[in-house]
Amino acid sequence: MRVLVYGAGVIGSYLAHVLVRGGNNVTVLARGKRAEELEKEGLVIRHYFQRKTTVDPVRVIRTLEAGDIYDLIFVVMKYTDFPAVLPILANNRSSNIVLVGNNTDAHDMQNYLEEHSDMHKNIAFGFQISAGSRENGRTVCIRGGVQMVLGGLDGPIPFQAAIDQAFAKTKYKLVYHENIDAWLKNHIVPIVALGFVTIIHERQMTKIARDDKLLRQMIAAMDEGFRVLEAQGYPLTPAVQASLIRKHPTLLRLLLKIYHMLPASRLVDGSPYEIAALNRVFRDWKERSNVPTPHWDELEERFNASSPFISGA
């Protein structure tokens, strides 16, 4: 299949690797130094836990023209980068698009593509469960068995068969969710809370692990976040996520302490700009819900004080 991976960061690089190994004709859209790296060295990934490095040759493009037709386009990028890409996707004549990444605005993005495209677009949304960082021209991938949670906003994805075909010869797991919008909104609660504490302690992960008061506060803030979502009418999904926070906070605090002590935690490359943007959306939900969020508010205040040039952007 002709597949375009639009974005060659940590998540997009691993997705492209899987699709190449699955026998697809894969093109990667990248720019600047990253495009030059891919053209010269190929797609180089260090698989951290697996203790191996893979190199895959990929075709590289720097722009997506209207007539560049692909069977599938996976747009893999940070939440803050999606708006700049939507007009380009609307102008392109490919039909099947999956927007992959943190996303609070799935309905607005789908509406934009529908209203600004000259042809019908099939849109799905997803999130790949992996992490990592970029260093010295290669991607360091933190993963176990990788999966993507994905779904459509208006029922089953109409091009699910094409997605299944693209991954048929891989070990990559696809999990289709009937309410992907709620799943994505739930996901930002722990993502933003974890992002807050990472910036507060300037990415010193062992310092976070030793700050028991901050860990307790973060877990309480997550609980407040889920209460805001409930007040807005969103189901808690996956239910086990909120259940662990509410019923087993001591266990969760221990797990978070262990996680932040692991060397791998220092390789997770999170964007403070993305955290700030997601938090601004959450703030709107909070104001509409009238749910008290004292722990979240205090973490937000400390995050803003730690990064005023980011939080005010």
Side-chain angles (χ1 to χ4, degrees):
M1 297 185 70
R2 280 177 51 82
V3 182
L4 173 65
V5 178
Y6 196 129
V10 172
I11 305 299
S13 293
Y14 182 76
L15 179 60
H17 159 75
V18 169
L19 290 165
V20 168
R21 296 297 173 102
N24 298 283
N25 179 4
V26 178
T27 299
V28 174
L29 192 151
R31 297 188 178 91
K33 182 179 178 181
R34 181 58 175 149
E36 295 173 3
E37 291 171 349
L38 291 169
E39 289 173 334
K40 182 179 179 181
E41 307 292 342
L43 183 59
V44 182
I45 299 180
R46 177 62 181 174
H47 303 263
Y48 183 82
F49 291 127
Q50 292 75 19
R51 297 180 178 273
K52 67 177 184 179
T53 299
T54 56
V55 181
D56 299 296
V58 291
R59 178 173 177 263
V60 180
I61 61 173
R62 289 167 171 77
T63 58
L64 178 63
E65 303 297 338
D68 296 340
I69 309 300
Y70 296 91
D71 299 308
L72 292 170
I73 296 179
F74 291 92
V75 185
V76 190
M77 54 189 53
K78 294 179 174 60
Y79 168 72
T80 46
D81 294 332
F82 279 124
V85 174
L86 293 178
I88 299 169
L89 296 172
N91 187 54
N92 180 260
R93 299 195 62 78
S94 302
S95 299
N96 303 323
I97 300 172
V98 185
L99 303 180
V100 182
N102 288 310
N103 200 329
T104 61
D105 308 330
H107 284 281
D108 289 342
M109 291 185 187
Q110 177 168 297
N111 290 339
Y112 180 94
L113 290 172
E114 290 175 345
E115 292 171 5
H116 292 82
S117 300
D118 293 334
M119 58 176 291
H120 177 70
K121 290 282 201 294
N122 299 313
I123 312 298
F125 296 86
F127 191 93
Q128 179 175 288
I129 311 298
S130 66
S133 61
R134 297 259 357 279
E135 57 180 41
N136 301 322
R138 69 176 185 173
T139 298
V140 179
C141 184
I142 310 296
R143 65 177 180 87
V146 178
Q147 67 181 34
M148 183 185 292
V149 181
L150 70 168
L153 300 182
D154 306 311
I157 300 172
F159 56 103
Q160 180 174 329
I163 298 174
D164 290 341
Q165 181 182 340
F167 291 94
K169 297 179 181 179
T170 75
K171 295 181 180 180
Y172 188 101
K173 185 178 181 181
L174 299 171
V175 179
Y176 293 99
H177 199 287
E178 63 181 11
N179 193 342
I180 189 64
D181 183 51
W183 191 98
L184 289 167
K185 286 180 167 65
N186 275 255
H187 185 69
I188 77 158
V189 170
I191 287 294
V192 173
L194 284 163
F196 280 164
V197 301
T198 300
I199 298 303
I200 287 169
H201 274 327
E202 300 177 327
R203 299 190 62 82
Q204 298 181 49
M205 298 307 194
T206 54
K207 191 172 181 180
I208 296 172
R210 297 185 183 118
D211 192 338
D212 195 63
K213 180 180 178 181
L214 186 65
L215 291 175
R216 291 174 183 271
Q217 187 176 12
M218 177 172 60
I219 293 169
M222 291 180 189
D223 183 23
E224 293 168 353
F226 288 123
R227 294 185 189 283
V228 167
L229 287 180
E230 286 178 306
Q232 292 293 301
Y234 296 110
L236 298 185
T237 179
V240 67
Q241 185 173 241
S243 178
L244 177 62
I245 290 168
R246 291 174 174 176
K247 296 181 180 180
H248 306 285
T250 302
L251 173 61
L252 179 57
R253 190 169 74 254
L254 175 61
L255 294 174
L256 289 169
K257 186 182 290 288
I258 293 171
Y259 164 74
H260 285 97
M261 292 181 69
L262 295 173
S265 70
R266 297 192 288 273
L267 298 174
V268 177
D269 184 17
S271 166
Y273 292 96
E274 184 178 36
I275 294 300
L278 292 170
N279 181 58
R280 284 193 289 271
V281 176
F282 179 82
R283 193 186 306 147
D284 291 338
W285 298 343
K286 182 176 65 175
E287 290 173 357
R288 292 198 301 267
S289 69
N290 293 318
V291 173
T293 56
H295 297 92
W296 188 288
D297 296 346
E298 185 177 340
L299 287 179
E300 179 184 14
E301 184 177 346
R302 293 181 65 184
F303 169 82
N304 291 341
S306 300
S307 54
F309 64 97
I310 293 172
S311 56

